[in-house]
Amino acid sequence: MKVSIVGAGNGGVVAAADLTSRGHEVTLYHSLQALKDPHEDIMQGKVNFKGEALYFHKFTQDPLEAVEDAEVIMTCLPTHILAQMFEELIPYLEEGQMVFINGASAMNSMVLGNSLKEKRPDVSVLIGESMSLTYAARYDYEENDADIILRSRHNLFSAYPSSDTEQMMEKLTILYDTLVPAANIIETALNNGNPESHPAPSILNTGFIDNHGDEFYLYRDGVTHHTVKVIEAIDGERQKICDALGFEVLDKSARSERSTYFEPDKPLKEQYNESPILKDLVGPVTLNNRYVVEDVGYGLVLWKSIAEAVDVETPSIDSIIHLTSLMLEVDFTRQGLTLEKVGLDGRQDLNRQV
């Protein structure tokens, strides 16, 4: 399959290596607006993967070249960058192409769909997103060495609109057989595991992060018998939102066990502390980090907005949004992603439009 991967960070480079190794023709796109250039070997189409040099089809910084003739265009980028990236790609999208937003779900399929209706009403493109990145990926920039630690299991996926999910799954399961159809993109967003895992233990460890950020291990040290209670409270509110919308209701442990990030038959604190996938990850080294900024602004704020539409109270989520706004001097409630910003208004729109 001809696949264009948008984003030459950890996730994108690992995806390019993996799909190339499995016989797909991969073009890797890195925006000229990106803050950091990729490794010079990446720009030559070379990456070390599982101990061997591997060459993918093409590296480009031209959005036309990235999109042209691709069957699947897959973004592997932080949530807050996607809107800017859509603006770069929309002029070049072709009839019948498929855009797969592979990463932390935040209803960005709808953001892209709305932009297409406005700017390219003549072109029909399939759009969808997974609840999380399909890999636990590791990439050593200095050595240009990519590896896969885990392929996420039971990764919920939905198209926007959800009536296109089956059609997209037929092609995407060739790339990733771990994708599972969700009811819609609201269900994928509510199963994004980052907003419950990252912001609370980060801000509750602010003193240590401010003074010793490069020695901080969120999953191993930041989740304690006190901070895990906040994670559980946030997850409890998320479960109430899922229940109100008729989605599957599973707690954090069950969901992460199913995706194989957590080992079964342990308390939640130990699952975080001892996860072979997560426990040795350093950081966040500063509070102004995607673990906080992205997962509050595009995670907890969105969950709060959905909760309001279905009359679910979220005091724990509200408190983390409020404290983070104070600490970073950012009004996340105003600046974050809400249903209104993606064009939805209340429960009726939730049920009708996605």
Side-chain angles (χ1 to χ4, degrees), residues 68-339:
E68 192 173 29
D69 297 329
E71 295 172 74
V72 175
I73 300 155
M74 183 171 76
T75 66
C76 295
L77 289 166
T79 301
H80 64 282
I81 295 175
L82 286 171
Q84 172 195 325
M85 192 58 58
F86 294 154
E87 294 301 307
E88 294 185 22
L89 301 177
I90 281 173
Y92 309 106
L93 292 174
E94 302 169 3
E95 183 75 20
Q97 287 183 316
M98 188 175 291
V99 178
F100 171 28
I101 302 167
N102 187 358
S105 176
M107 296 179 66
N108 272 293
S109 297
M110 197 165 184
V111 174
L112 176 55
N114 292 340
S115 294
L116 276 169
K117 288 176 186 176
E118 177 186 347
K119 298 174 180 178
R120 296 287 307 279
D122 56 310
V123 65
S124 177
V125 175
L126 295 167
I127 309 165
E129 62 192 78
S130 55
M131 71 178 190
S132 63
L133 189 66
T134 47
Y135 310 95
R138 298 292 178 271
Y139 176 65
D140 184 327
Y141 180 89
E142 298 300 325
E143 300 296 328
N144 188 29
D145 189 63
D147 201 2
I148 297 171
I149 294 179
L150 177 143
R151 297 179 191 272
S152 178
R153 309 297 302 179
H154 204 94
N155 196 341
L156 292 176
F157 170 85
S158 176
Y160 172 70
S162 56
S163 55
D164 290 336
T165 296
E166 183 177 354
Q167 184 179 355
M168 289 194 72
M169 288 282 292
E170 287 179 3
K171 180 165 286 190
L172 291 179
T173 50
I174 297 171
L175 302 178
Y176 301 109
D177 62 4
T178 58
L179 296 175
V180 176
N184 52 44
I185 59 170
I186 299 171
E187 185 173 24
T188 63
L190 288 169
N191 279 274
N192 170 8
N194 294 339
E196 65 206 342
S197 293
H198 294 161
S202 293
I203 68 168
L204 293 172
N205 284 277
T206 296
F208 191 90
I209 293 171
D210 285 348
N211 293 310
H212 310 285
D214 57 354
E215 300 173 18
F216 179 62
Y217 291 78
L218 176 75
Y219 300 100
R220 191 175 71 197
D221 301 327
V223 179
T224 69
H225 67 282
H226 289 125
T227 62
V228 76
K229 295 176 183 179
V230 185
I231 294 174
E232 290 172 333
I234 291 171
D235 185 50
E237 293 169 3
R238 183 201 62 81
Q239 289 178 62
K240 289 178 181 178
I241 305 169
C242 289
D243 185 52
L245 287 164
F247 300 148
E248 179 185 40
V249 178
L250 287 178
D251 65 19
K252 177 62 180 177
S253 287
R255 287 160 48 232
S256 295
E257 288 170 18
R258 186 167 66 181
S259 65
T260 65
Y261 276 88
F262 284 174
E263 296 176 325
D265 304 321
K266 293 181 178 180
L268 182 60
K269 173 186 175 295
E270 279 69 33
Q271 288 182 317
Y272 276 105
N273 296 163
E274 299 170 11
S275 167
I277 311 302
L278 304 173
K279 66 182 178 67
D280 293 324
L281 296 180
V282 179
V285 299
T286 172
L287 212 61
N288 191 15
N289 178 279
R290 67 178 180 86
Y291 274 28
V292 178
V293 176
E294 178 180 327
D295 293 334
V296 172
Y298 292 81
L300 294 181
V301 171
L302 178 59
W303 288 4
K304 171 182 170 65
S305 178
I306 298 170
E308 290 173 344
V310 295
D311 298 319
V312 171
E313 294 185 354
T314 55
S316 301
I317 289 173
D318 297 350
S319 68
I320 298 302
I321 295 171
H322 178 64
L323 286 173
T324 306
S325 296
L326 288 175
M327 289 179 173
L328 294 181
E329 299 180 293
V330 174
D331 188 344
F332 283 103
T333 299
R334 183 181 296 273
Q335 295 188 20
L337 185 67
T338 63
L339 291 180

Side-chain angles (χ1 to χ4, degrees), residues 27-59:
T27 296
L28 181 62
Y29 173 67
H30 184 70
S31 173
L32 288 169
Q33 307 304 314
L35 297 177
K36 182 179 180 180
D37 288 333
H39 192 282
E40 59 183 16
D41 284 353
I42 291 290
M43 300 176 79
Q44 304 303 317
K46 177 185 177 183
V47 61
N48 300 314
F49 184 58
K50 298 182 177 180
E52 296 184 3
L54 182 149
Y55 292 85
F56 49 90
H57 176 65
K58 184 192 301 181
F59 171 88

